[in-house]
Amino acid sequence: MIFDVIIVGGGAAGFYTAIQIAEANPKLTVAIFERGKTVLGKVKVSGGGRCNVTHAEFNPKELTNNYPRGKKELLGPFHRYGVADVITFFEDKGVPLKVEEDGRVFPISNSSQSIIDCFLKETERLGIKVLKNYQVKSFSRSDEVADGWMVTTKNKYYHSKKIVIATGSSTKIWKQLEELGHQIVPPVPSLFTFNINDDRLNNLAGISTEVTTAVYQKKHYDSKIAIKLKSKVERMPLLTSDGPVLVTHWGLSGPAILKLSAWGANLLNDFKYNFRVHINWLPEYTTGSAERLLLEIKQVEAKKTVFKTKAFDIPRRLWNNLVKAAAIAPDIRWADVSKEKIQSLAEQLTKCSFRVQGKSTFKEEFVTAGGIDLKEIDFKTFESKKLPNVYFAGEVINVDAITGGFNFQNAWTGAYLAAQAIATDC
């Protein structure tokens, strides 16, 4: 069987590409090959089931700052097809959207099913074939279509002039593309939370507060050296982020941690997810300024206990755990706290170090750093520089973003530009 365009992958990027092609050139026969029994599975679970379709950042240059990999390459594409275009697309299709306070964009329905229904309705309206249980076994040059490709499934062969690879983080597809000459950047997890077992986090699950975070080089001096150097050089962090942190039953999550995991995807993989993360629970304070304020409180609130006098705007349970970590007993009054204990509390508040031992996937929103090497893609069309008439969309390429709708925006933009190139050239 021959199609004008075969799209491999029935996810967000695949459907968006198919719809854009069919709208731009209705004469083309377009088919989506999905290996599973259902389509749009990742769309369904994204954003906690609400589908965070994009982020309300309308400046292309600012938008690229949310992509640890792909920042430079996506600037041109975002100028050509950006956030406003995506919002217009969905609203024109009858899916009204809303912008939340943090900039994330969701359907007003608060249901990802609105996006899924939109895609299924459009593919039916445009005559796009959606073929499920069609796992692609191989790609090869077609002997039936000039300059085209043959796609082999379990027991059938299909031909088309153009193919679009929108398979996300499929190692099998990456391997096939590698055999055809593409360079694959080895995949590593990008969005994940930190597994931490520490008494200071006990009974704090569900607490969220603003912090600054940092990860330093693992071995900056011999651990056997116990002498403190007077002229110790201040270390520079390898990674930093700020924003809300969420305490979970297994450790730490929230935007601040997820930003660290995205920007540090390769570094933390090199660390084998065994490292220390430093938390400043008081972003507006240094250790010194926090200590000075604590000393003032010691004078003013001398008769009160430290436990009951929360000195900073942080959750009370967190305050109590950090006071305990500073070896200050529950019945100790401020007047009786030594300067050393004050210093220790200031450090717990501003330089709290936790040992991370492993990671957990962020909900079902598994994002991978890695994929088709960006040097091998023409970002005007998202066509392969190695394989003529092969295009890419979505996470199959080495682009990933922090959480907040940015990964979907990459998918929509790549899908649109590939679709326009295909529709005018087919």
Side-chain angles (χ1 to χ4, degrees):
M1 185 177 291
I2 298 175
F3 292 101
D4 291 312
V5 186
I6 290 176
I7 295 164
V8 184
F15 268 79
Y16 207 77
T17 309
I19 292 166
Q20 296 289 355
I21 291 171
E23 285 196 327
N25 190 341
K27 296 179 181 179
L28 300 180
T29 54
V30 182
I32 298 172
F33 286 17
E34 167 54 43
R35 67 176 181 176
K37 295 179 182 179
T38 59
V39 295
L40 299 164
K42 197 168 182 179
V43 171
K44 189 171 184 64
V45 301
S46 72
R50 296 196 297 149
C51 192
N52 182 186
V53 294
T54 187
H55 200 95
E57 177 50 77
F58 300 97
N59 182 317
K61 189 170 183 180
E62 291 298 321
L63 183 59
T64 62
N65 288 332
N66 298 285
Y67 295 82
R69 283 146 292 274
K71 175 180 178 178
K72 180 182 71 173
E73 290 82 2
L74 289 175
L75 181 58
F78 285 156
H79 272 288
R80 295 176 61 198
Y81 193 82
V83 172
D85 300 299
V86 171
I87 291 173
T88 298
F89 170 85
F90 283 111
E91 296 201 327
D92 284 351
K93 303 298 184 191
V95 184
L97 304 176
K98 60 178 178 176
V99 180
E100 299 202 338
E101 190 175 338
D102 60 3
R104 293 182 300 165
V105 179
F106 292 92
I108 285 179
S109 67
N110 276 328
S111 173
S112 57
Q113 195 61 44
S114 299
I115 304 299
I116 294 170
D117 291 344
C118 168
F119 283 160
L120 295 178
K121 179 182 175 183
E122 287 303 302
T123 51
E124 185 175 356
R125 178 180 73 84
L126 294 164
I128 298 164
K129 290 191 176 294
V130 180
L131 306 173
K132 303 170 189 175
N133 293 313
Y134 270 59
Q135 184 172 356
V136 172
K137 298 292 185 181
S138 66
F139 309 98
S140 57
R141 284 294 184 187
S142 173
D143 54 6
E144 293 193 23
V145 177
D147 299 320
W149 289 87
M150 181 172 74
V151 177
T152 305
T153 60
K154 188 174 181 180
N155 51 18
K156 291 185 179 180
Y157 303 94
Y158 299 86
H159 300 265
S160 69
K161 182 171 184 182
K162 310 276 189 181
I163 60 174
V164 180
I165 311 298
T167 48
S169 304
S170 170
T171 52
K172 289 183 179 179
I173 297 296
W174 279 334
K175 186 176 180 182
Q176 291 176 37
L177 293 168
E178 193 171 34
E179 290 171 355
L180 290 169
H182 263 295
Q183 183 175 341
I184 306 299
V185 177
V188 297
S190 177
L191 285 183
F192 51 87
T193 61
F194 295 175
N195 294 349
I196 299 169
N197 183 11
D198 193 293
D199 289 344
R200 290 169 293 179
L201 299 181
N202 285 351
N203 303 313
L204 298 185
I207 279 179
S208 179
T209 187
E210 292 283 329
V211 301
T212 58
T213 65
V215 173
Y216 293 83
Q217 183 58 260
K218 284 185 73 173
K219 293 182 180 179
H220 59 285
Y221 57 83
D222 191 327
S223 59
K224 294 178 182 178
I225 298 175
I227 300 172
K228 292 185 178 180
L229 303 177
K230 291 183 179 179
S231 59
K232 183 179 178 182
V233 177
E234 185 70 23
R235 292 182 294 146
M236 294 299 292
L238 300 172
L239 300 167
T240 61
S241 76
D242 53 33
V245 70
L246 172 68
V247 182
T248 69
H249 291 291
W250 59 89
L252 294 175
S253 183
I257 297 300
L258 294 170
K259 279 191 278 186
L260 276 186
S261 75
W263 288 98
N266 291 303
L267 175 70
L268 301 183
N269 180 69
D270 291 343
F271 286 172
K272 301 186 186 304
Y273 308 105
N274 192 322
F275 58 95
R276 300 196 76 88
V277 61
H278 297 254
I279 306 288
N280 182 350
W281 302 102
L282 310 174
E284 296 179 0
Y285 290 83
T286 63
T287 304
S289 62
E291 183 181 342
R292 287 191 292 273
L293 183 56
L294 290 172
L295 288 171
E296 288 181 22
I297 292 172
K298 175 180 167 69
Q299 300 299 320
V300 176
E301 306 286 2
K303 294 181 180 181
K304 294 183 179 179
T305 63
V306 179
F307 257 55
K308 292 183 178 179
T309 314
K310 184 163 66 82
F312 299 95
D313 185 21
I314 60 174
R316 174 160 296 280
R317 281 184 288 157
L318 172 61
W319 167 260
N320 289 346
N321 279 12
L322 296 178
V323 170
K324 191 185 300 181
I328 300 172
D331 59 347
I332 294 292
R333 297 180 305 165
W334 281 100
D336 301 322
V337 181
S338 68
K339 186 175 181 181
E340 288 73 24
K341 295 284 180 69
I342 291 286
Q343 289 174 339
S344 178
L345 180 55
E347 290 191 355
Q348 290 291 341
L349 287 161
T350 60
K351 294 196 297 188
C352 204
S353 176
F354 295 99
R355 185 179 179 187
V356 178
Q357 294 178 288
K359 59 177 174 54
S360 294
T361 302
F362 177 57
K363 300 179 181 177
E364 286 82 8
E365 298 177 41
F366 185 75
V367 175
T368 298
I372 305 296
D373 193 308
L374 302 184
K375 296 191 297 291
E376 300 176 350
I377 300 165
D378 179 349
F379 277 89
K380 291 181 179 179
T381 60
F382 281 75
E383 184 177 10
S384 165
K385 292 180 180 178
K386 297 276 187 178
L387 307 171
N389 294 322
V390 174
Y391 298 76
F392 302 113
E395 204 184 325
V396 68
I397 67 177
N398 184 28
V399 167
D400 63 285
I402 64 173
T403 184
F406 301 105
N407 283 296
F408 271 137
Q409 183 59 50
N410 166 53
W412 312 137
T413 294
Y416 176 84
L417 294 180
Q420 300 311 300
I422 290 167
T424 55
D425 192 45
C426 244

